[in-house]
Amino acid sequence: MKKVNLILLVGVLLFSFSCRGTDESQEGQQDLKSVHLRLKWAFQGQFAGYLVAKEKGFYAEAGLDVEIRPGGPDSQSYQTCANGVDDIGVGVPAQVMMARSNGVPLVFIAQMFQDSPNRVVAKRSSGLSNLKDVIGRKVGLWLTGDEIEFPSMLESVGLSRDEVDIVPQKFSISPFLEDEYAVSQVMTYNELLQIEGKGFVREDLTIFTPSDYGAALLGDGLFTSQSFLDRNPKLVISFLAATFKGWDYTRDHQKEALDIVMKYNPELDRELQEKQIQEVLKLTYAGSVNEKGLGYMETASWKNTLRVLRKAYSQDDEVLRNLRKVDPESCFDTKYLPSQSLE
């Protein structure tokens, strides 16, 4: 399997690792503390809670001047936080675990999505009704690290990735619609909605869900570097509290949240973004959020991430060797959540 870009850049990241950002020893020298937040992708409904927290003044009320920066293939959050360009990033647990396996000390501070947003879809007309039907078929995956659930899904039904034809997937649904490949990786809050927008209903699709195969990895969350965390514990607590306020406001005022998202990116399809916000909220308020609070994290999910990563890279001795060094409990820290208190 193609390794994630993170591994290729480890040497550079380790050399340049010195996190930018506010030092609380300078507290009082300025009214608002500057924070750079890097998203995973362009401004869209996926990140509504952060944009709402900014626009409604929740960050400012917490004493923070938060600059929200879009992400993309050339500005991936785990890289920009590791090299000090940004302070806090939106990313997924698997990225942080891979970083730590290579000596880059990133730390998860809040798990925003409490379920995996990934799905693998096929048209029923293609004859695919169960996962074993993918043998010999072309499967479009994003080969950027987000695809690691799929090999574990295959293994759960007795298949290996060598039995399917995995092709690099573009950030477009067109190749799938045009049958360039029979199976496509999608997000519940984006590509799946786009496919439905092209006239497909759920009954037209076979949708494979990672959790049905014991392969689900949790989606978006917030992370930072250990250096930034050590220097700015109070700032991180304030940032998370304001962020959670932004997500709660988004849940309770979805039309206003949609207006804010469209302000940041007017070229977006408004109807699609409305649905995207709805789907993202399902992920954010899933699981035991009502009981444990937004952003809660548990060791079990991190152990599962490590298990799936090891399966995904079972043929890569170097990656496996590095993953064996990772302690799942070292990858996240819950004491900065607003519901917790610093010791």
Side-chain angles (χ1 to χ4, degrees):
M1 172 176 291
K2 179 179 176 181
K3 299 180 187 177
V4 291
N5 293 337
L6 170 66
I7 299 174
L8 300 177
L9 295 176
V10 164
V12 175
L13 298 181
L14 290 175
F15 177 79
S16 61
F17 188 85
S18 59
C19 209
R20 191 209 73 84
T22 307
D23 189 325
E24 288 180 359
S25 65
Q26 301 173 355
E27 191 171 346
Q29 295 183 14
Q30 53 185 352
D31 292 333
L32 298 179
K33 301 183 183 73
S34 173
V35 179
H36 292 168
L37 170 65
R38 179 70 67 173
L39 306 179
K40 283 178 63 182
W41 200 246
F43 295 125
Q44 58 180 4
Q46 177 184 359
F47 311 111
Y50 311 109
L51 302 178
V52 167
K54 171 78 171 178
E55 290 299 305
K56 297 301 294 183
F58 301 152
Y59 287 134
E61 290 172 2
L64 305 175
D65 177 15
V66 177
E67 179 183 340
I68 303 177
R69 299 170 165 179
D74 298 323
S75 52
Q76 298 192 47
S77 57
Y78 62 85
Q79 295 172 4
T80 62
C81 283
N83 64 27
V85 172
D86 297 308
D87 304 313
I88 297 173
V90 178
V92 297
Q95 291 173 334
V96 168
M97 188 164 277
M98 289 298 292
R100 293 188 71 89
S101 77
N102 287 281
V104 182
L106 300 179
V107 184
F108 234 63
I109 53 176
Q111 181 65 63
M112 300 311 302
F113 288 3
Q114 296 295 338
D115 194 3
S116 171
N118 284 295
R119 300 291 186 270
V120 180
V121 302
K123 299 173 186 174
R124 286 193 181 276
S125 60
S126 68
L128 287 162
S129 60
N130 65 70
L131 196 55
K132 288 189 175 182
D133 292 335
V134 303
I135 295 175
R137 300 293 191 99
K138 285 188 176 182
V139 179
L141 300 177
W142 297 306
L143 299 180
T144 57
D146 289 324
E147 78 283 358
I148 60 175
E149 290 167 316
F150 188 67
S152 185
M153 292 169 65
L154 291 177
E155 184 178 294
S156 73
V157 296
L159 301 180
S160 72
R161 72 182 306 275
D162 294 332
E163 294 179 84
V164 300
D165 183 8
I166 293 178
V167 297
Q169 178 171 268
K170 302 175 182 177
F171 294 102
S172 167
I173 63 170
S174 295
F176 171 70
L177 296 178
E178 296 168 4
D179 296 321
E180 289 186 26
Y181 32 78
V183 182
S184 179
Q185 180 184 359
V186 299
M187 296 290 189
T188 58
Y189 56 78
N190 199 351
E191 292 80 15
L192 185 55
L193 296 176
Q194 292 180 45
I195 291 171
E196 292 175 346
K198 294 297 183 179
F200 287 86
V201 295
R202 293 293 172 102
E203 290 73 21
D204 296 329
L205 303 169
T206 299
I207 303 176
F208 302 108
T209 303
S211 60
D212 292 340
Y213 302 89
L217 299 180
L218 299 184
D220 288 8
L222 292 162
F223 67 90
T224 185
S225 70
Q226 189 65 58
S227 173
F228 185 83
L229 198 56
D230 290 343
R231 289 184 289 113
N232 301 282
K234 293 179 182 178
L235 181 154
V236 171
I237 292 173
S238 297
F239 173 84
L240 290 179
T243 296
F244 294 175
K245 191 174 181 180
W247 278 110
D248 282 343
Y249 193 93
T250 297
R251 177 196 59 194
D252 298 336
H253 303 84
Q254 294 183 34
K255 183 180 183 301
E256 185 178 353
L258 176 60
D259 291 338
I260 290 173
V261 170
M262 296 304 297
K263 172 185 174 182
Y264 274 80
N265 196 344
E267 296 182 0
L268 294 171
D269 181 309
R270 185 179 179 87
E271 182 179 354
L272 176 62
Q273 292 305 304
E274 180 179 17
K275 293 178 181 178
Q276 184 169 122
I277 290 173
Q278 293 169 357
E279 292 298 322
V280 165
L281 288 171
K282 291 178 186 177
L283 294 166
T284 303
Y285 290 89
S288 301
V289 166
N290 289 338
E291 173 189 347
K292 300 177 181 178
L294 281 172
Y296 79 91
M297 297 175 285
E298 297 179 323
T299 302
S301 66
W302 285 89
K303 287 182 176 179
N304 182 61
T305 298
L306 182 58
R307 178 185 64 82
V308 173
L309 280 170
R310 286 175 174 172
K311 283 187 177 181
Y313 293 102
S314 60
Q315 303 302 312
D316 193 314
D317 292 339
E318 181 182 354
V319 175
L320 281 177
R321 186 163 51 250
N322 289 335
L323 284 171
R324 291 191 184 100
K325 304 174 186 176
V326 177
D327 174 8
E329 294 190 15
S330 71
C331 298
F332 68 101
D333 199 330
T334 62
K335 68 174 176 285
Y336 300 93
L337 293 169
S339 59
Q340 306 295 317
S341 60
L342 286 171
E343 298 180 358

